[in-house]
Amino acid sequence: MEEKKGLAHILAIVPGLAVMVGTLYLLRTFVEPWMKDAVVFGQKGWLVQVLSLNYILLSIIAGIIYRNVFFGGKIPDWAEAGFRTTRLFIKSGVIMLGSLYTLQKLAKVGSIAILLISTFVFGTVFFVIWYGKRIGMERSMIGVMGASCGVCGVSAAVATSPGVNAKPSEVALAIATILGFGIMTMFVSPFIGKALSMSDYQFGAWVGTGILNSGQVLATCLAFNPTFAPGTAVAYGEIWNVVRVISIPFVVFIITTWACKAEAAESCATGEKMSLTKVFKDRFPIFVLGFFGMTALSSLGWLGAEGSNTLHLMRDVMSWIFGIGLVGQGAYIDFRELKRAGGKPLRVGLVAGTLKYVVALIVIMLFVSKDASF
Amino acid sequence: MSDKAKGKMTVFKTDRHEDAAAMVFVSLVVAFVLVYMAYVVPTVTIKPNQDGKLIAIKVQPDQEIKKGDLIYSFEYKDKKFVNGELQEKLAIKDVLASTNGKVLSVGVKEGDALKKGKTNIIVMDHEKGTLP
């Protein structure tokens, strides 16, 4: 596919984007209301209450069905540019989530989030490096898997790939493995959370630590408690998620430094001296500044009072933005690619992902109080 | 080679451009919502943020209200974790006007059940330039 420019570039986005928006419209207008009223096993709303199926989870499922059933495993050319707006919507949604907090509220849970996230992110990176070497995985694959499992399935894998000389196919495998793992945890986590009587605070902290993708953290939190408001699972989960996203440049630095040291210095992928400042400058995900900007506006009361119609509309728009992004994200989950990933990458992804998920659950249950912080 | 083949998952030149675009996009969305709510929306319907029971309605049609005036009070189940235990108790919440305006109609009476986001409590015309 040739890279289009100008107006043609914008027009190329329309068909795929129309599919994403249209799908979400159908899900929110017809499918979710039908599911709320549908009687299954003699219980009205069983699909929503027991399976935690809401439009957010349905958006991801719809995307998966498009990719794996209707598109035959590859997003067609006519839709590809539109589907590549997926991360724009997810990032925009994360920025808007900043409106759920005030600076004081962030400060209350920020230190716990930083401590937990740092421990789990870097613990996982070191585990993947150790385990990957032990089972004889290629260094470049270890690099992208370490970034994927440690910090963020998609962004970190892409950010780390040039530094470790990873092939596009290795990045795709790492992303497929982690998104596939995330899909499983998305459906299982609400059951575990309810079975263990976790509070919104504990659940948000666990999911924000144990699940590796911004969209999946949001979807899982909303499956547990479908409300966008301060003090709900999604409000807590996203604080953890943002702290995790901020750690991307540090992870890129550590993995690239490790890869450079492991090879001869002259064959270092970037061919230049690594410095944390440079990595930070090049790789810092600046959209999180937008998140803090929204929190600042919320703290000043410029977005309307909590409970006001203005904030209600803002959150409704935000839920649409996330929903559109999640249809697209589902379409990046290709079961054939997951099957191809097989072998060592899949083993590393599953072991590291499960370990992080389970240990995070244990730590949260033991050390994080049920009492909400705000 | 296509962008996808290079492992690119964005329509933008780089991830950094995508980040900047997301911030611009959100700025436009927020500006649109604020301007719409402050100047364009003709009337505002106030609905409850949680389920409960109306215990008092303090406004009536054609009444002028000021920011901070009490509109209604309702009873709800307050669920909170205290020392690791989920405690549930009935509580009362007062809902105040977030802006100046005039009440056009009242859709509830004392004792009515309130459904989160569904029950129309009042319809009001708010002062332009303020956020209802």
Side-chain angles (χ1 to χ4, degrees):
Chain A
M1 191 179 73
E2 288 298 314
E3 180 74 8
K4 295 185 172 80
K5 296 221 161 115
L7 185 63
H9 183 60
I10 295 169
L11 288 176
I13 293 170
V14 174
L17 185 56
V19 171
M20 290 155 65
V21 175
T23 303
L24 180 66
Y25 175 77
L26 292 175
L27 292 174
R28 289 191 72 155
T29 314
F30 301 108
V31 181
E32 194 186 53
W34 170 79
M35 287 193 344
K36 278 181 180 163
D37 290 333
V39 178
V40 179
F41 300 126
Q43 189 185 334
K44 188 181 171 191
W46 184 89
L47 291 165
V48 177
Q49 285 159 20
V50 180
L51 290 188
S52 305
L53 281 176
N54 54 24
Y55 71 94
I56 288 283
L57 284 183
L58 291 171
S59 301
I60 297 187
I61 294 170
I64 294 174
I65 293 172
Y66 280 138
R67 172 72 174 254
N68 294 277
V69 180
F70 298 145
F71 295 162
K74 182 188 175 294
I75 299 172
D77 285 350
W78 61 265
E80 195 190 343
F83 275 84
R84 280 198 281 149
T85 59
T86 292
R87 290 200 303 158
L88 172 71
F89 285 102
I90 302 274
K91 285 175 181 176
S92 301
V94 171
I95 293 172
M96 291 189 78
L97 278 172
S99 69
L100 292 181
Y101 318 97
T102 59
L103 293 171
Q104 296 91 320
K105 286 174 181 174
L106 275 192
K108 267 188 178 175
V109 293
S111 50
I112 307 168
I114 290 169
L115 178 69
L116 269 177
I117 289 291
S118 313
T119 310
F120 278 93
V121 163
F122 295 107
T124 312
V125 169
F126 292 128
F127 174 79
V128 170
I129 290 176
W130 170 79
Y131 188 55
K133 274 162 73 176
R134 198 187 144 125
I135 64 170
M137 204 159 73
E138 276 190 42
R139 189 174 294 119
S140 51
M141 192 71 223
I142 294 176
V144 283
M145 281 305 291
S148 291
C149 298
V151 60
C152 181
V154 181
S155 307
V158 173
T160 311
S161 57
V164 297
N165 262 338
K167 296 188 274 291
S169 58
E170 291 177 321
V171 178
L173 290 184
I175 291 172
T177 307
I178 285 311
L179 289 185
F181 177 77
I183 286 289
M184 286 192 296
T185 53
M186 258 171 49
F187 289 97
V188 172
S189 306
F191 287 104
I192 298 175
K194 283 170 188 168
L196 295 176
S197 304
M198 293 175 92
S199 65
D200 279 59
Y201 179 45
Q202 286 180 315
F203 190 80
W206 171 43
V207 165
T209 309
I211 294 185
L212 303 156
N213 174 276
S214 301
Q216 291 178 340
V217 169
L218 175 108
T220 313
C221 287
L222 288 177
F224 182 75
N225 178 354
T227 310
F228 273 111
T232 56
V234 71
Y236 293 119
E238 283 302 324
I239 295 177
W240 262 253
N241 184 50
V242 164
V243 173
R244 191 167 51 79
V245 170
I246 290 172
S247 70
I248 288 177
F250 297 101
V251 169
V252 172
F253 175 73
I254 286 177
I255 292 179
T256 312
T257 307
W258 163 78
C260 285
K261 278 189 177 161
E263 294 180 19
E266 62 271 22
S267 67
C268 198
T270 54
E272 52 187 280
K273 199 171 182 300
M274 292 288 304
S275 82
L276 183 58
T277 317
K278 186 178 182 322
V279 173
F280 212 81
K281 206 172 133 198
D282 293 345
R283 303 287 175 195
F284 183 77
I286 57 167
F287 76 96
V288 298
L289 299 178
F291 172 91
F292 291 114
M294 283 295 281
T295 303
L297 292 179
S298 166
S299 306
L300 292 167
W302 290 4
L303 301 176
E306 192 53 53
S308 67
N309 286 44
T310 306
L311 266 185
H312 182 76
L313 177 62
M314 193 93 72
R315 285 172 191 160
D316 201 30
V317 173
M318 176 170 75
S319 69
W320 276 88
I321 288 175
F322 263 121
I324 295 167
L326 290 172
V327 174
Q329 186 163 88
Y332 277 98
I333 295 166
D334 179 4
F335 289 131
R336 270 162 276 215
E337 215 156 56
L338 265 178
K339 211 172 154 193
R340 267 201 304 278
K344 290 172 184 171
L346 186 63
R347 208 191 320 166
V348 169
L350 283 180
V351 171
T354 309
L355 200 62
K356 185 179 188 178
Y357 184 74
V358 173
V359 175
L361 176 62
I362 295 168
V363 169
I364 299 288
M365 291 305 288
L366 288 178
F367 300 109
V368 175
S369 144
K370 280 184 197 282
D371 306 10
S373 276
F374 62 82
Chain B
M1 188 189 281
S2 74
D3 284 339
K4 197 181 169 201
K6 289 178 202 160
K8 204 172 165 188
M9 291 178 68
T10 172
V11 277
F12 296 92
K13 215 168 169 183
T14 63
D15 269 13
R16 191 54 70 82
H17 285 90
E18 188 176 68
D19 287 6
M23 289 199 281
V24 171
F25 177 57
V26 169
S27 305
L28 292 174
V29 168
V30 169
F32 174 81
V33 169
L34 295 182
V35 169
Y36 175 75
M37 291 305 289
Y39 296 103
V40 182
V41 67
T43 57
V44 178
T45 304
I46 295 182
K47 297 176 180 184
N49 282 329
Q50 54 198 122
D51 292 350
K53 186 176 141 193
L54 188 74
I55 55 168
I57 179 90
K58 298 290 186 186
V59 292
Q60 51 196 16
D62 296 326
Q63 182 182 333
E64 298 280 345
I65 52 173
K66 290 204 176 330
K67 182 178 178 181
D69 284 355
L70 178 62
I71 299 180
Y72 67 98
S73 302
F74 72 107
E75 191 181 67
Y76 68 102
K77 278 183 191 161
D78 186 26
K79 292 178 186 172
K80 214 185 265 181
F81 279 97
V82 178
N83 299 324
E85 294 294 321
L86 184 63
Q87 291 186 354
E88 194 177 296
K89 60 177 183 183
L90 285 176
I92 291 173
K93 189 182 267 183
D94 293 332
V95 177
L96 310 178
S98 58
T99 179
N100 301 342
K102 184 180 178 187
V103 178
L104 300 177
S105 65
V106 176
V108 285
K109 57 183 186 311
E110 287 173 12
D112 280 358
L114 303 182
K115 291 296 278 179
K116 178 186 167 187
K118 295 216 167 118
T119 312
N120 294 342
I121 295 174
I122 64 165
V123 178
M124 67 176 281
D125 186 7
H126 75 289
E127 185 183 298
K128 297 299 174 216
T130 59
L131 294 174

